[in-house]
Amino acid sequence: MSSIYTNGYTGKYVIIDLSTRKSDVRIFDEETLKYFVGGPSLGARILYEEMPALTPWDAPESMIGFVSGPTNGTGPLMGGRYTVVCKSPVTGMWNDANSGGNFGPLLRKSGYDAVFVKGISPTPVYIFIDSGVVDIRDASGLWGKTTEQTEKEIKEELGDPKVGIALIGPAGERKSFIAAVMNDTHRAAGRGGSGAVMGSKNLKALVCRGNESIGVFSRDDVVALNREVAAWEKEGPIADTMIKIFGDHGTGSLYEGSVYGGDASVRNWGGVPSDLTEQEITALGTQTMDKFYKTKKYACNACSLGCGAMYQVKGGKYPLEETGRPEYETSGMFGSGLGAGDPEVVNWCNYLSNEYGFDTISLGGTIAWAMECFSNGLFTLEDTGGIDLKWGNTDAIVEMTEAICKGAAGMGSVLALGSRAAAEHYDRGYEYLTDAGGIETPQHDPRRAPGLARTYQYDPTPGRHVKGGQGFTMNAELPPEVKYDFKDPAGAERDVAGVVETEITNMAGFCMLSDLGMPPACKTRFLTAVTGFNYEGDEERKLGLRSFTMRHAFNLREGVNRENRKIAGRILGKPAMTDGPHEGITIDNDTLADNFFKALDWDLQTLVPSRKALEELGGLENVIADLY
Amino acid sequence: MSVINVRVKFVAGELTPGLESGEYSICEGSTIRDLISECETACGAAVPPGNFKLMYPLLNGKPAQLDTAIAKSATVHICRVVMGG
């Protein structure tokens, strides 16, 4: 056995086969950790090796992984996120989605940096890892139960309220393509349908407990960097503005400006802010909602920003004793995106989505698609089961959300598969899809930040705002003559730089808000302090692009190429809007993508990286062997 | 030079502390930056200079610049360059 690398790692991972009920504990070699670090990057590396190409997502050979990052539980501020990896049921491609809360650090305390699951259990089970020991337990009594109830019962069964639990709700059990993996009651690794992969394996939950202590390369350096972050958050140039507002009111604080400014969708990306009343727009900003509903703040593990809060909704049509504050994405999907602005409805739909284990982005986006179809006569009241899906009808929004969550017969069960699958089921409404690669797009409009179009269409996980490129944070400050100059070669360099930064954020286990919440150039220094690996100079760029390429390599094996990477025309301004903040704007995403792929030295049609590019990145010998 | 009335909504309150949304009178030909200056005077507040680069102004619902001139009966929104979350 080789020696275990323990600076920033347990150095171990386990592959659990639910068909044979056997576990295979393995040791990470040092080079793999140095090259792939953690999260989606390390997860892609393992699935590329262990999961055969073209495996159907629900086959026994299909794998799902829960992968930590080296910042999880080792001290760096804002380093609490773990990643779920699998093949996506909705896109048919690589999938990774990350989540905060406390599960990532608790996973590592149980003795493993990552847990991978394959096989299919004949009956519902949950996996309990207690200080490295894997126990596959009966979950028949938990099947059908909501996420909060399941968490409660598992904790009671184990007699331990502090175990870490990643689980699915009824959505995942029903193999909904838009089912999330949930943790800490209302935190979600939401996107891409990873909950359905768990459900296909009859796996209700992964539960972790332990006291493994993870060493770091230099505790002094971690502490010093944390002091830099604390000073930045207290006294830095955006301390009194962006950091304060996220800390006070969370991501939803940006809702109102995002609607007016054209970042949030209105009516399935086809409307304009003036389709909503000022009152509807203001009502969903958390500066307003906090006044009525906020009971307390909370933060994910090791987070100094603390963008979370709990709400209580007293009285009204949809009272809630305790629920997580809706994130910006959720308010957009169940608010402006549906032509509505009722905070009680948003809170209720957010609560239902979390309880049943749905991705709020895909669920809201799917209802938006159905509403537009209904508004244009493609669906009748008979089709919808009597639900009057006209824009802004808040009763209808709740009724349809409940129908989807509860698996009601008829349209509810069809919409639970997502908008693309629903369009194919009914064979209509394709013109109203606003997806990228089959998945609903989030609440950031490329027509405002055109770099997002390249990211949405061509990231290995399409339709994501948390993936890299010259997207909203980098493009926001650019003048129009720069950000709409699609031929500008400098745009490709911004694109590559954005990819590198975001890949490192995600593999390390940092939150995306660290882009604002910590000084520039902190992340690789944190990685070095924790792991001892040096990522200075060109190594940083290689690290980010290696991760991006590894995730992409998984897709190449699945037959992905330029031709079959699709995005809805509306997202690109085809046709251009005739009013509102995006009037007259059309994005030339072909040129944006051409420039990006040229910068990476990828073939423009096959999207196969050149051998030279792969060799320069290092650590991709298995990919080279497959491609050349 | 004639005076015009314009309506301004400060959506990003943390960038414009002390400024109140509402209708203001400004000279014809004034820019959005001039409007903010007028609001500062009227409200007895001062926007920190570093905050201007974080602003994303809209004029009648369309993206604008701080030096964009305002016509009468206009509506101005002062949003943040960073949106979403």
Side-chain angles (χ1 to χ4, degrees):
Chain A
M1 180 185 287
S2 59
S3 62
I4 301 178
Y5 193 82
T6 55
N7 285 329
Y9 296 97
T10 69
K12 294 169 286 183
Y13 66 105
V14 60
I15 299 177
I16 301 165
D17 189 330
L18 290 178
S19 295
T20 62
R21 297 177 74 91
K22 288 182 178 173
S23 302
D24 181 10
V25 176
R26 302 198 187 170
I27 307 298
F28 282 118
D29 64 78
E30 183 176 334
E31 189 174 71
T32 297
L33 293 174
K34 180 182 178 184
Y35 277 139
F36 296 97
V37 177
S41 175
L42 191 58
R45 166 70 182 208
I46 298 298
L47 258 61
Y48 191 89
E49 287 293 302
E50 299 290 338
M51 184 170 153
L54 300 172
T55 301
W57 66 270
D58 54 353
E61 296 80 11
S62 180
M63 296 177 70
I64 185 167
F66 304 80
V67 190
S68 66
T71 63
N72 293 173
T74 51
L77 292 170
M78 306 187 80
R81 298 185 78 87
Y82 77 103
T83 302
V84 180
V85 300
C86 61
K87 180 176 177 177
S88 168
V90 67
T91 69
M93 291 188 269
W94 168 255
N95 189 54
D96 58 70
N98 65 53
S99 177
N102 292 296
F103 182 79
L106 290 170
L107 167 66
R108 276 147 67 86
K109 280 180 177 293
S110 77
Y112 300 107
D113 296 311
V115 175
F116 296 91
V117 182
K118 63 181 180 180
I120 295 176
S121 172
T123 57
V125 294
Y126 75 87
I127 296 169
F128 178 40
I129 302 179
D130 191 0
S131 300
V133 178
V134 175
D135 186 12
I136 300 172
R137 295 186 162 214
D138 176 51
S140 300
L142 299 171
W143 209 248
K145 293 189 174 168
T146 61
T147 55
E148 189 172 1
Q149 184 65 24
T150 301
E151 272 202 19
K152 180 173 177 284
E153 292 191 22
I154 287 175
K155 288 176 177 176
E156 285 175 356
E157 180 179 316
L158 298 175
D160 187 345
K162 294 184 177 178
V163 291
I165 305 175
L167 76 167
I168 57 171
E173 296 171 12
R174 291 188 219 116
K175 305 181 188 65
S176 160
F177 291 177
I178 58 175
V181 172
M182 306 293 298
N183 60 277
D184 296 273
T185 309
H186 51 261
R187 306 303 309 185
R191 309 238 57 206
S194 50
V197 181
M198 280 184 74
S200 74
K201 297 183 176 307
N202 277 323
L203 177 61
K204 181 69 173 175
L206 171 63
V207 185
C208 298
R209 180 168 72 183
N211 291 305
E212 176 131 343
S213 176
I214 300 166
V216 298
F217 177 71
S218 172
R219 178 62 61 191
D220 287 348
D221 286 353
V222 171
V223 170
L225 282 162
N226 278 344
R227 287 195 179 121
E228 282 187 43
V229 173
W232 170 268
E233 292 183 354
K234 189 176 178 185
E235 301 159 355
I238 55 171
D240 293 332
T241 53
M242 297 313 303
I243 289 173
K244 178 169 171 42
I245 196 166
F246 273 117
D248 286 350
H249 300 294
T251 58
S253 61
L254 274 56
Y255 175 81
E256 190 178 4
S258 299
V259 175
Y260 286 119
D263 199 34
S265 79
V266 178
R267 294 187 176 183
N268 197 32
W269 302 75
V272 293
S274 58
D275 290 331
L276 300 157
T277 66
E278 272 197 36
Q279 186 182 5
E280 286 173 327
I281 296 171
T282 303
L284 296 192
T286 43
Q287 293 92 333
T288 303
M289 285 203 286
D290 281 359
K291 293 175 189 169
F292 298 101
Y293 310 124
K294 185 176 171 182
T295 55
K296 61 183 176 185
K297 264 175 72 78
Y298 83 84
C300 295
N301 188 281
C303 183
S304 47
L305 197 60
C307 73
M310 300 306 296
Y311 273 10
Q312 181 184 45
V313 181
K314 294 179 181 174
K317 290 174 76 172
Y318 309 109
L320 287 164
E321 189 57 35
E322 186 175 62
T323 186
R325 176 170 61 192
E327 299 290 342
Y328 162 77
E329 295 292 336
T330 308
S331 293
M333 300 311 303
F334 288 95
S336 61
L338 304 181
D342 185 328
E344 291 186 15
V345 167
V346 169
N347 275 295
W348 182 246
C349 292
N350 182 50
Y351 171 78
L352 288 176
S353 299
N354 292 339
E355 283 289 288
Y356 286 84
F358 280 95
D359 167 28
T360 58
I361 295 175
S362 281
L363 181 51
T366 299
I367 294 174
W369 169 80
M371 279 187 145
E372 187 158 16
C373 288
F374 185 85
S375 297
N376 287 285
L378 273 64
F379 290 137
T380 65
L381 284 172
E382 190 176 350
D383 293 319
T384 65
I387 301 175
D388 183 16
L389 276 178
K390 65 188 177 193
W391 292 121
N393 183 347
T394 51
D395 287 340
I397 292 168
V398 169
E399 286 175 54
M400 188 52 81
T401 301
E402 289 180 343
I404 295 170
C405 286
K406 293 174 182 174
M411 184 171 266
S413 62
V414 177
L415 295 187
L417 296 173
S419 56
R420 170 67 64 177
E424 290 170 355
H425 174 88
Y426 292 109
D427 195 25
R428 72 189 83 152
Y430 297 101
E431 64 271 40
Y432 303 126
L433 290 170
T434 53
D435 67 313
I439 192 168
E440 295 73 18
T441 41
Q443 289 290 312
H444 301 281
D445 197 322
R447 293 169 294 189
R448 174 178 176 268
L452 280 171
R454 203 285 302 155
T455 303
Y456 284 177
Q457 186 167 4
Y458 293 110
D459 188 88
T461 51
R464 304 291 187 86
H465 63 293
V466 290
K467 294 301 181 186
Q470 50 169 343
F472 60 103
T473 52
M474 296 184 72
N475 246 4
E477 295 180 54
L478 296 174
E481 62 271 21
V482 175
K483 70 179 180 181
Y484 294 114
D485 180 0
F486 304 117
K487 294 179 179 173
D488 180 11
E493 278 310 304
R494 287 195 299 273
D495 207 348
V496 171
V499 166
V500 168
E501 176 162 6
T502 306
E503 294 288 330
I504 291 173
T505 297
N506 290 333
M507 72 173 79
F510 284 121
C511 173
M512 280 292 287
L513 292 185
S514 64
D515 287 355
L516 298 168
M518 62 174 63
C522 260
K523 292 171 192 171
T524 48
R525 291 164 63 208
F526 262 126
L527 276 181
T528 299
V530 170
T531 67
F533 301 136
N534 188 344
Y535 300 111
E536 287 180 350
D538 199 40
E539 289 305 309
E540 181 178 28
R541 179 184 168 99
K542 287 182 182 177
L543 180 64
L545 292 184
R546 187 183 302 117
S547 170
F548 186 78
T549 306
M550 191 72 247
R551 297 192 299 122
H552 175 66
F554 183 97
N555 285 343
L556 288 175
R557 289 197 320 186
E558 302 298 310
V560 166
N561 55 40
R562 183 81 176 265
E563 178 66 23
N564 54 29
R565 298 300 306 266
K566 304 289 189 188
I567 190 169
R570 184 181 289 179
I571 305 296
L572 306 179
K574 297 179 181 176
M577 299 289 286
T578 56
D579 192 11
H582 308 312
E583 180 183 309
I585 292 172
T586 299
I587 299 168
D588 180 359
N589 206 32
D590 290 337
T591 297
L592 285 176
D594 279 351
N595 290 343
F596 177 67
F597 295 137
K598 284 176 190 170
L600 296 180
D601 197 10
W602 289 10
D603 184 274
L604 298 186
Q605 297 309 315
T606 66
L607 303 187
V608 173
S610 74
R611 183 179 187 119
K612 179 168 172 280
L614 293 169
E615 287 175 344
E616 283 177 355
L617 292 176
L620 296 169
E621 290 76 15
N622 52 349
V623 178
I624 294 171
D626 286 347
L627 293 175
Y628 291 95
Chain B
M1 186 172 285
S2 59
V3 172
I4 59 173
N5 291 331
V6 299
R7 188 169 170 267
V8 60
K9 186 172 176 66
F10 293 105
V11 177
E14 77 283 1
L15 300 182
T16 55
L19 301 193
E20 293 179 12
S21 300
E23 191 165 290
Y24 290 85
S25 298
I26 56 172
C27 292
E28 190 172 9
S30 296
T31 65
I32 293 175
R33 192 186 297 274
D34 295 333
L35 169 65
I36 294 172
S37 178
E38 180 63 34
C39 296
E40 287 177 304
T41 303
C43 298
V47 175
N51 288 7
F52 283 92
K53 68 177 183 182
L54 299 174
M55 294 179 188
Y56 188 84
L58 300 168
L59 179 60
N60 296 325
K62 308 275 194 303
Q65 306 293 317
L66 288 170
D67 56 4
T68 302
I70 309 171
K72 65 179 180 182
S73 303
T75 298
V76 172
H77 289 85
I78 303 297
C79 305
R80 305 169 194 86
V81 291
V82 177
M83 297 185 184

